[in-house]
Amino acid sequence: MNELYIGMDVHSKSIYCIAQDWFGKVLFDGRIETKPEVIKDFLLNFPGGRVPKGTQIGFESGTQATWLSRLLDSLGMEPVVIDAHEVRKKARRIGQKTDRRDAFEICEGIRKQMYDSIVYIPDEETQKLKDVLKKRRHFVNICVREKNSAKALLRGSGISTSRLPLKGKTSWENLYKRLGDNYRSSYARMHMDVWEMAYKKVKELEVELNEALEPFKDIMDILTTVPGVGLITAATFIGSVGTPRRFPDSSRVVSYVGLAASTFNSGERTQHGSITKRGPAELRAMLCEAAQSSRKSDNPFNPYFLRICSKKGYKKAIVAVAHKMAKILYQMWKRKETFDIRKTNIESGEFVKTKKVYYKIKKKAARV
């Protein structure tokens, strides 16, 4: 049983702290600077003696949460990072926010175990992987935007862009030739300059990504055995999930990613709606992109895709396959087993399907 609880309202320059004992008596009420040495000094020279190791210290999620959590962990404390949305929802006085009140309610919340949405703070290696993926995704989006803007210039001139990938300087030169010698051509060169800069950064970040994936090489070799799952999808799954020990079963992973169907149950009425779209959007997008490969007949998930697609349409079938992939990736990581088609309830082989047709369109008679 903890004898001390500390709630912090963290800002870039200062932190408001409230400390309580197990009975709720306030032992400290004041503000300190947001500096590692000041925080360390506060914990070592706490009024009444040093803060005991294992003390729970709660604060909201935000830009300061990662480094502060690691600092407190290195000092032997137990950081509790609470989802900022839950703190706001459970505030006693809505619309009357103060730093002291927030710190007090956080301290009360962890003392009474009121909070459920505890934010996971990954270790250094996982955090580096997440940061590299995030920056790579940023520059990839810039490349896509510049290519789309350049193609819009062609469409504005009445020129088709169906066969213009814009993957290198040669394709960009072809774009200039189509536009001709006018002001739109100069605009296209501006887009190419930005695209070239962003593309160069993507290549540099891919080198960093390979280095960041070194600690996860064994897991990557396992996850990439799933058909349709490549290096970026597997790396995003590792960076977002962190460790399989966070979740008791695969259904919790699906809920975390936001691929679980929303449910409304009241009385005798039960209604299921669209997916919740909670959690990391980048992982959800990568799983849906990987699920696109299930359209191919030689993909093991193709029978599952066809069954859902015939009933509910293409988009819902892709989401259903992504849902299944998330469960499979979690179980493979947890058990450290490669993909085994025999565990997916899918039979492999070359099958010929015949169909009896009772009606068909008449063939036109040949003209003499």
Side-chain angles (χ1 to χ4, degrees):
M1 182 185 296
N2 291 337
E3 297 181 356
L4 184 66
Y5 302 88
I6 300 176
M8 292 183 171
D9 188 54
V10 185
H11 297 277
S12 59
K13 294 183 179 180
S14 65
I15 302 174
Y16 202 99
C17 300
I18 295 286
Q20 293 179 325
D21 61 10
W22 187 78
F23 298 100
K25 181 182 177 182
V26 177
L27 303 177
F28 181 86
D29 185 345
R31 193 181 294 271
I32 62 174
E33 290 185 274
T34 311
K35 294 180 180 179
E37 60 274 14
V38 176
I39 297 170
K40 184 177 180 180
D41 182 67
F42 166 72
L43 297 174
L44 294 177
N45 302 303
F46 188 78
R50 173 178 174 166
V51 174
K53 290 188 176 181
T55 298
Q56 289 188 340
I57 301 179
F59 47 93
E60 295 180 3
S61 58
T63 56
Q64 310 281 342
T66 302
W67 73 266
L68 181 56
S69 177
R70 294 209 174 97
L71 173 65
L72 296 174
D73 189 61
S74 66
L75 296 173
M77 305 299 131
E78 184 182 341
V80 181
V81 185
I82 308 157
D83 188 348
H85 295 288
E86 186 178 10
V87 175
R88 294 270 64 77
K89 287 180 180 178
K90 292 184 176 179
R92 296 181 182 179
R93 301 183 183 181
I94 305 297
Q96 299 181 27
K97 181 187 181 305
T98 65
D99 293 346
R100 183 186 182 281
R101 194 168 287 155
D102 284 352
F104 180 81
E105 290 182 348
I106 290 171
C107 187
E108 280 273 293
I110 61 173
R111 185 174 67 86
K112 297 179 180 179
Q113 298 183 354
M114 292 168 50
Y115 296 116
D116 300 315
S117 302
I118 306 301
V119 179
Y120 168 72
I121 301 296
D123 55 32
E124 289 282 359
E125 292 175 344
T126 307
Q127 186 63 48
K128 181 181 178 182
L129 176 60
K130 289 182 68 175
D131 291 341
V132 175
L133 286 168
K134 183 178 179 180
K135 288 303 171 187
R136 180 188 177 276
R137 192 161 52 247
H138 171 76
F139 287 107
V140 167
N141 290 337
I142 292 176
C143 289
V144 173
R145 284 200 301 269
E146 296 308 316
K147 288 194 291 186
N148 290 340
S149 298
K151 288 181 179 181
L153 293 173
L154 283 177
R155 290 193 293 271
S157 301
I159 304 172
S160 174
T161 59
S162 58
R163 296 183 180 180
L164 193 63
L166 295 180
K167 293 183 178 180
K169 285 192 174 182
T170 304
S171 55
W172 280 94
E173 291 296 336
N174 292 333
L175 182 142
Y176 302 143
K177 291 178 182 178
R178 290 191 183 188
L179 286 172
D181 188 13
N182 56 41
Y183 68 94
R184 285 195 175 95
S185 179
S186 63
Y187 292 162
R189 289 190 182 276
M190 294 179 188
H191 290 301
M192 193 203 86
D193 292 340
V194 178
W195 172 86
E196 195 171 15
M197 179 275 296
Y199 186 74
K200 182 180 178 181
K201 296 301 178 184
V202 170
K203 292 301 179 184
E204 292 176 4
L205 286 166
E206 285 178 353
V207 175
E208 286 190 35
L209 179 60
N210 290 328
E211 295 175 358
L213 284 171
E214 280 298 321
F216 308 99
K217 188 177 184 302
D218 295 338
I219 304 301
M220 287 291 295
D221 292 341
I222 292 173
L223 299 184
T224 50
T225 59
V226 178
V229 175
L231 183 141
I232 301 299
T233 304
T236 306
F237 188 82
I238 293 172
S240 299
V241 174
T243 172
R245 294 190 297 273
R246 289 178 60 196
F247 306 96
D249 51 50
S250 56
S251 62
R252 299 294 182 89
V253 177
V254 172
S255 297
Y256 170 72
V257 179
L259 289 171
S262 58
T263 304
F264 178 82
N265 177 265
S266 179
E268 298 179 356
R269 179 188 176 191
T270 300
Q271 181 179 355
H272 297 285
S274 58
I275 58 174
T276 59
K277 294 186 179 180
R278 299 285 182 176
E282 62 277 4
L283 176 57
R284 189 164 57 251
M286 293 306 302
L287 288 172
C288 289
E289 185 175 337
Q292 301 283 346
S293 62
S294 63
R295 297 175 299 172
K296 300 177 181 178
S297 59
D298 59 348
N299 189 287
F301 298 109
N302 182 254
Y304 186 70
F305 166 80
L306 291 176
R307 188 180 70 178
I308 305 297
C309 188
S310 61
K311 293 179 180 179
K312 298 185 177 181
Y314 178 82
K315 290 184 179 180
K316 289 186 178 180
I318 291 297
V319 172
V321 174
H323 181 284
K324 195 173 188 68
M325 278 186 170
K327 286 188 171 183
I328 290 173
L329 288 170
Y330 167 78
Q331 293 294 345
M332 288 170 54
W333 188 359
K334 185 178 180 180
R335 301 176 184 179
K336 292 183 171 53
E337 297 176 356
T338 56
F339 180 75
D340 188 355
I341 194 172
R342 294 172 296 181
K343 295 182 179 180
T344 60
N345 197 30
I346 294 174
E347 186 179 0
S348 62
E350 295 183 2
F351 307 101
V352 178
K353 188 176 181 180
T354 59
K355 184 178 180 180
K356 186 183 287 187
V357 180
Y358 292 96
Y359 303 96
K360 67 178 182 178
I361 299 175
K362 291 181 180 180
K363 292 184 179 180
K364 293 182 179 180
R367 294 182 180 180
V368 179

